[in-house]
Amino acid sequence: MAGQIRQRILSGMRPTGRLHLGHLHGVLDNWKRLQKTYECYFFVADWHALTTNYEYPQDIPSNIEEMVIDWLAVGIDPDKVTMFVQSDIKEHAELQLLLSMITPVSWLERNPSYKEGQQQLRDRELATFGFLGYPVLMAADILMYKANKVPVGVDQLPHLELSREIARRFNYLYGDVFSIPEAILTDVPRLPGLDGRKMSKSYNNSIFLSDSPEIVREKVSNMITDIERPRLKDPGDPENRCVAFKLHRLYLPPERLEVIVSECKAARRGCVACKNELAEAIISQMAPIWQRRKSLATEPERVKAILAEGAKRAREVAQSTMAQVRSALWNRHVR
Ligand code: TRP
């Protein structure tokens, strides 16, 4: 696109709670790589959080702050990226409204997340207009910044496909305003949690970026290792049976893994030693993150200022896009 030198990336996260190691290795490590070469917009999707958590809006503001502290602590750099909160940019709501006019309800009802969400979150009433329209709001987020690439997990692909269809439909009806965004699939294996299942807040098996070293030690020491190895003198099978070993693979160098496998199989190494080694490896990797978290916690004004500056930059782009949208819609529409 004319004048746009670097490709533009946009991605968002719902502020549903504290971030854990799964987010770090699954999403944030990738964002850190992308911020080096692309013009990045990373935002907190607080209105999206409201679609499922509208009964508990009081949690959302503190979740926003915690999440942004996590982003900064892991190394998302506000000098390189535009970091903002969705609800600070009211233009998203206007664009969502206009896009909703051209989006057939059948596209939204077909979306797998709509039905799955209703089935999985049975304690909430999710047959709402807002939840059905979730992908329209997401399309507004993406199209507003004319993002070329959108890093997402596989679960978000149907939403992205809808954004592309909505963009094409708008361009067809009113003239070319939007670029058609493409997914960057973050192809990282799911991080195993403390019980071997995928790390997820709802499974209660997570190590959070905000945990202290003591908590990491305690959580790791309570892990179940090889259930078919109740005693030290029984030979283990770490590669096939041990949950801790799944994490060892991510945190220890290959030469240590070899030693562990051979000692465990020969019943010369106990599970406590393995868990201690794992905890210390996680702790040493997290130390710089904790340090930055601590210093950020003492300057709440800094987080506010970063988000205000991000909102200012985002708003400029949003206002310019909306001017084009309105002009395409009202002035050039002659058929
Ligand atoms: N739906 C995304 C999720 O739950 C969050 C999100 C909202 C998003 N708007 C977006 C992601 C735009 C990418 C682009 O993870």
Side-chain angles (χ1 to χ4, degrees), residues 38-322:
Y38 293 95
E39 182 190 358
C40 291
Y41 289 75
F42 295 137
F43 75 99
V44 184
D46 57 341
W47 281 335
H48 275 111
L50 214 47
T51 62
T52 51
N53 293 34
Y54 59 84
E55 284 180 282
Y56 310 100
Q58 63 279 9
D59 299 339
I60 295 178
S62 62
N63 286 347
I64 294 176
E65 193 182 321
E66 283 295 306
M67 195 165 88
V68 172
I69 290 180
D70 281 336
W71 290 2
L72 296 168
V74 303
I76 306 297
D77 180 351
D79 293 331
K80 292 202 180 95
V81 313
T82 300
M83 213 183 264
F84 64 98
V85 178
Q86 182 183 40
S87 66
D88 282 343
I89 313 296
K90 307 301 180 208
E91 283 79 2
H92 288 226
E94 183 184 357
L95 186 54
Q96 189 263 1
L97 174 93
L98 296 177
L99 297 178
S100 79
M101 303 298 170
I102 64 169
T103 306
V105 174
S106 61
W107 289 7
L108 301 173
E109 286 172 336
R110 238 196 276 140
N111 172 24
S113 309
Y114 180 60
K115 289 210 175 73
E116 276 164 28
Q118 286 182 333
Q119 279 160 7
Q120 280 166 17
L121 305 170
R122 283 193 184 280
D123 55 328
R124 309 173 201 185
E125 169 56 89
L126 288 182
T128 56
F129 185 53
F131 190 58
L132 180 67
Y134 188 110
V136 185
L137 181 56
M138 186 157 155
D141 301 335
I142 296 170
L143 303 181
M144 185 72 85
Y145 301 92
K146 302 189 178 176
N148 312 96
K149 301 259 163 72
V150 182
V152 283
V154 253
D155 60 313
Q156 297 290 313
L157 277 185
H159 292 149
L160 195 73
E161 196 46 48
L162 267 169
S163 297
R164 292 160 56 85
E165 283 176 43
I166 293 171
R168 284 196 207 99
R169 191 159 161 81
F170 185 100
N171 288 350
Y172 166 75
L173 288 168
Y174 311 116
D176 263 336
V177 170
F178 297 119
S179 34
I180 310 298
E182 278 170 30
I184 301 184
L185 251 194
T186 8
D187 185 23
V188 271
R190 296 222 179 263
L191 189 83
L194 296 165
D195 57 0
R197 291 187 291 174
K198 157 189 162 206
M199 190 174 282
S200 159
K201 203 173 83 159
S202 49
Y203 292 158
N204 209 2
N205 65 355
S206 302
I207 294 178
F208 295 101
L209 301 182
S210 51
D211 281 345
S212 64
E214 295 71 40
I215 291 178
V216 172
R217 285 194 189 100
E218 188 190 319
K219 285 183 171 174
V220 172
S221 76
N222 285 326
M223 283 177 80
I224 293 170
T225 43
D226 182 343
I227 41 166
E228 291 176 46
R229 192 188 177 209
R231 285 168 304 254
L232 178 59
K233 65 179 168 44
D234 301 319
D237 182 5
E239 286 148 310
N240 296 310
R241 292 199 304 245
C242 178
V243 174
F245 191 74
K246 288 190 187 178
L247 285 163
H248 275 159
R249 281 186 202 278
L250 297 165
Y251 285 93
L252 299 179
E255 56 281 9
R256 273 309 291 159
L257 299 179
E258 275 175 37
V259 174
I260 288 173
V261 169
S262 76
E263 288 187 356
C264 178
K265 283 185 170 164
R268 279 192 287 116
R269 180 186 176 82
C271 299
V272 173
C274 265
K275 290 197 273 191
N276 287 343
E277 187 165 349
L278 175 61
E280 296 315 312
I282 294 175
I283 288 169
S284 77
Q285 201 194 68
M286 295 191 50
I289 296 176
W290 285 329
Q291 208 158 18
R292 265 173 284 176
R293 251 194 148 270
K294 218 181 251 168
S295 84
L296 284 160
T298 63
E299 8 169 36
E301 292 309 314
R302 171 123 191 269
V303 175
K304 279 207 190 98
I306 288 170
L307 291 176
E309 174 59 30
K312 205 172 123 211
R313 292 206 296 247
R315 195 171 296 120
E316 266 171 38
V317 179
Q319 285 176 346
S320 144
T321 301
M322 287 317 294

